[in-house]
Amino acid sequence: MDLLNTLVDKGLRRELPSREEALAVLATSDEELLDVVAAAGKVRRQWFGRRVKLNYLVNLKSGLCPEDCSYCSQRLGSKAEILKYTWLKPDEASKAAAAGVAGGAKRVCLVASGRGPTDRDVDRVSQTIEAIKEQNEGVEVCACLGLLSDGQAERLRAAGADAYNHNLNTSEGTYGDITTTHTYADRVDTVQKAHSAGLSACSGLIAGMGETDEDLVDVVFALRELDPDSVPVNFLIPFEGTPLGKEWNLTPQRCLRILAMVRFVCPDVEVRLAGGREVHLRSMQPLALNLVNSIFLGDYLTSEGQEGKADLEMIADAGFEVEGAGTTTLPGHRADAMAGGGCGSHAQSGCGSHEGGACGPCGSESAPAAAAEVSEARTDLVAVRRRGAGTDLAPNA
C-alpha cells in the first residue's frame, strides 16, 4: 500500500505527513487495519523499541469544578455520582503515588479539578511534589492543575516537577462547543508557559465526542506545532449525568486508526494510551501497544481502569517490556534538547493528557466514515472509581 510505505518513510525521518495522508489513515477499511497497525508499529519501534512507559494518576481534588467542559464528570452541573473531595494532604498524595510506583509506574501525574491553581494551590502542590520525590527516588512528576498564571510553571519546576499536562482536547474550530468558561487559546497559552519554564510539555486530545475526521487531524497537527514531548490520546468515557453521556461513537477499529494517525504525525513523541482504552478498545488493547509507547496503570481520575496486574500481564503477553526507571523515554535528539532547557523540536520537519486532564460536545456532525462505526453503548464498562485517593480503600496499581 503506497500510502503506508510513504508514511513509514516519513515517520523514520521525523517528517510531517500531509493532511491528506493523515485523513487517509482514518479512512482506511477494516480489511486494511492490520496493515495500518504494522506500518505505524515500525515507526513506534524505530524511536521507542518495545518499551512501554507506565504512568500513574493521583486525583488531588475531585469534583467541585467551576468549568463547564461537556465531557467531564467533574464539571459544573455534573450529575455523575463520582467521588467528591477537596485537596489531599501532601502525605496522603505521596502515599497514593507510592502505590503506583510500586506497581511499576515511572511517572506520577498529579491532577486537580478547577479552572487553574491559586498561588496557595501551587504551594500545596509543590509540597506534594517534594514529598513524592523524597520518598520515591528517580520518579518523574507531572502536574495537571488547569490554566497557569504567569510564574506558576517556574515555581512548579523549582519544586521538582518534570512535566506539565494540559490537553487541547479537540480542534480550535469546534472548541467553543465544548465549553464556554475558557477558550482554546487559553489552553495553548498554558502549554506554551510550561515549555517556556523548561517543563516537559504534555498535551493531547479526546476522541469520540462526535468530531469529524478533519477535527481529529486539526488537533493532532496543532499538537505537532506545539511540540509536546508526550501526547495522551483519551477516548471519551460517556458518564451518565454529563452532556456527552449518550455519545458512543467509537469502535475498537476506529480507536486503532486514530492512534496510528497520531503516531504518523508525531513519530518520535511519547504517545500515551489514556482514559477510555478499556471502554472502547476492550480486547484489542494489546494491539494498541504496537502504536503507543505509554499507558496509565490502574484507575483514572473518576473512573476505574483495568486492574494493575492485568496491565502488566497484557504488556508481557504482547511481547513488550515495562520501561525501567533508569531508561530515558524520549529518543536522544529530544532528550538532549530537554536537558539543555529547550524543547525537542522537530527540526527536520520545519515544525515548531481526559479523563486524562484537568477539566469537551463537538457541535459538528460526524464524518461518514465515523458515523458508520458507531458502536453499541457499553454502559456496563463505565465504572466510577471508589478506591484509592480520597477513600480508605487500597488503590488499584
Side-chain angles (χ1 to χ4, degrees), residues 43-99:
V43 178
R44 180 248 201 267
R45 290 192 300 276
Q46 164 72 17
W47 301 112
F48 300 98
R50 300 191 70 80
R51 294 176 284 115
V52 178
K53 180 177 180 177
L54 298 181
N55 309 267
Y56 189 70
L57 284 166
V58 177
N59 197 358
L60 296 177
K61 179 167 70 77
S62 185
L64 314 173
C65 185
E67 302 297 286
D68 66 357
C69 306
S70 299
Y71 62 85
C72 186
S73 61
Q74 305 184 77
R75 73 188 296 271
L76 179 69
S78 170
K79 294 179 173 56
E81 296 181 355
I82 61 169
L83 290 170
K84 296 182 176 68
Y85 53 86
T86 191
W87 290 93
L88 297 181
K89 293 181 173 62
D91 61 329
E92 294 172 326
S94 181
K95 182 178 179 181

Side-chain angles (χ1 to χ4, degrees), residues 30 33-34 37 251-256 259 273 277-278 280-291 306 314:
D30 287 351
L33 182 59
L34 287 180
V37 171
T251 63
Q253 293 80 10
R254 180 157 176 79
C255 292
L256 290 170
L259 292 170
L273 182 53
R277 64 177 165 97
E278 299 90 345
H280 297 292
L281 277 164
R282 302 188 288 276
S283 62
M284 301 283 271
Q285 289 181 72
L287 200 54
L289 296 177
N290 292 280
L291 308 170
Q306 187 166 275
M314 175 182 73

